[in-house]
């Protein structure tokens, strides 16, 4: 039995045979309901046959413009926003991806994992800043990458590429000022022009 098969077996034994597991490209992904997010992660960390002591990454995802060929709006991504974590077990030397969807697209919220893995503190702040995902119970949920007074969440698919405001230094006021974006929005479609038989060597 391979390490991946052993992990799959252990996860199903601990979480139940109905655990929502998928394998792709030699990696396992576990899908967890939002209301079981914290408790499931606690089990993943503490159970002897799993022992995911370390969370190495947490990020938000906006699936609103998902264009995968096999996408089924009623199945693959039921909600717009998801939180994804990547776990590492030093004890067993295996990894796991865990995904949970936020129930409300208008106000995406999910419980914080700071009490499970304190390292996610800044990761959750980043997901809040860039996607607007609220982590309930986070001890200091505030922006971490964007500027003071920034409006919106720049990694959302509906956020304009040029943003809403631009910043410049005003020599008369001797300070930084904000003003509406001066860039005209436009669609940029790359145009590729090649000669016939491009890349085919002729003798």
């Amino acid at each position: 039995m391979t390490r991946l098969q052993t992990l799959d077996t252990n996860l199903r034994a601990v979480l139940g045979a109905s655990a929502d597991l998928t394998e792709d490209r030699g990696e396992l992904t576990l899908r967890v309901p939002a209301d079981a997010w914290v408790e499931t992660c606690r089990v993943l960390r503490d159970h002897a046959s799993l022992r995911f002591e370390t969370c190495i990454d947490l990020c938000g995802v906006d699936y609103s413009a998902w264009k995968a060929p096999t996408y089924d709006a009623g199945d693959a991504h039921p909600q717009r926003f998801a939180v994804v974590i990547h776990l590492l077990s030093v004890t067993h030397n295996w990894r796991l991806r865990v995904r949970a969807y936020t129930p409300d697209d208008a106000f995406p919220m999910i419980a914080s994992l700071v009490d499970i893995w304190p390292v996610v503190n800044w990761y959750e702040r980043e997901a809040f800043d860039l996607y607007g995902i609220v982590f309930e119970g986070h001890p200091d949920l505030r922006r971490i990458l964007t500027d003071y007074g920034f409006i919106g969440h720049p990694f959302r698919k509906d956020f304009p590429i040029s943003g809403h405001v631009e910043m410049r230094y005003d020599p008369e006021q001797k300070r930084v000022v904000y003003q509406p974006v001066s860039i005209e929005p436009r669609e940029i479609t790359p145009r590729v022009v090649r000669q016939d038989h491009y890349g085919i060597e002729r003798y």
Side-chain angles (χ1 to χ4, degrees):
M1 185 180 288
T2 67
R3 189 185 305 277
L4 200 66
Q5 290 170 331
T6 302
L7 175 57
D8 186 291
T9 301
N10 290 3
L11 285 165
R12 294 183 190 280
V14 173
L15 302 176
S18 61
D20 192 348
L21 279 165
T22 55
E23 181 184 342
D24 188 28
R25 296 176 180 85
E27 297 179 342
L28 281 176
T29 300
L30 173 66
R31 181 168 148 182
V32 176
D35 58 2
W37 182 235
V38 172
E39 188 52 41
T40 301
C41 287
R42 193 184 308 278
V43 170
L44 292 173
R45 183 195 66 181
D46 295 343
H47 199 282
S49 64
L50 300 174
R51 293 294 295 149
F52 288 101
E53 308 99 333
T54 306
C55 179
I56 57 178
D57 187 36
L58 178 147
C59 67
V61 183
D62 180 355
Y63 284 109
S64 63
W66 183 252
K67 300 295 184 186
T70 58
Y71 172 57
D72 177 359
D75 181 33
H77 302 294
Q79 305 297 140
R80 176 179 176 181
F81 296 102
V83 175
V84 179
I85 59 175
H86 291 89
L87 304 179
L88 169 66
S89 170
V90 177
T91 300
H92 299 294
N93 189 26
W94 51 39
R95 295 170 185 257
L96 178 68
R97 178 185 299 111
V98 188
R99 179 187 293 116
Y101 293 91
T102 61
D104 186 356
D105 290 350
F107 187 71
M109 183 168 66
I110 196 166
S112 172
L113 295 178
V114 168
D115 289 340
I116 309 296
W117 297 286
V119 71
V120 303
N121 187 320
W122 282 16
Y123 292 141
E124 290 184 346
R125 285 180 58 191
E126 181 182 65
F128 165 70
D129 192 358
L130 301 180
Y131 291 95
I133 298 171
V134 174
F135 292 87
E136 189 177 19
H138 190 286
D140 186 25
L141 193 63
R142 56 193 166 98
R143 292 185 183 271
I144 191 171
L145 294 175
T146 56
D147 197 12
Y148 301 111
F150 190 91
I151 297 172
H153 304 284
F155 276 18
R156 288 190 174 190
K157 298 291 177 65
D158 54 6
F159 191 86
I161 293 175
S162 59
H164 297 292
V165 296
E166 62 186 26
M167 181 176 63
R168 66 175 178 82
Y169 179 77
D170 188 316
E172 292 181 3
Q173 299 182 52
K174 295 184 178 179
R175 67 181 182 88
V176 170
V177 296
Y178 292 90
Q179 62 189 39
V181 173
S182 59
I183 301 171
E184 288 293 325
R186 62 190 175 99
E187 284 293 325
I188 301 175
T189 305
R191 184 179 174 202
V192 179
V193 179
R194 290 183 178 158
Q195 299 172 350
D196 291 341
H197 309 295
Y198 176 83
I200 300 175
E201 224 175 299
R202 292 181 167 226
Y203 297 95

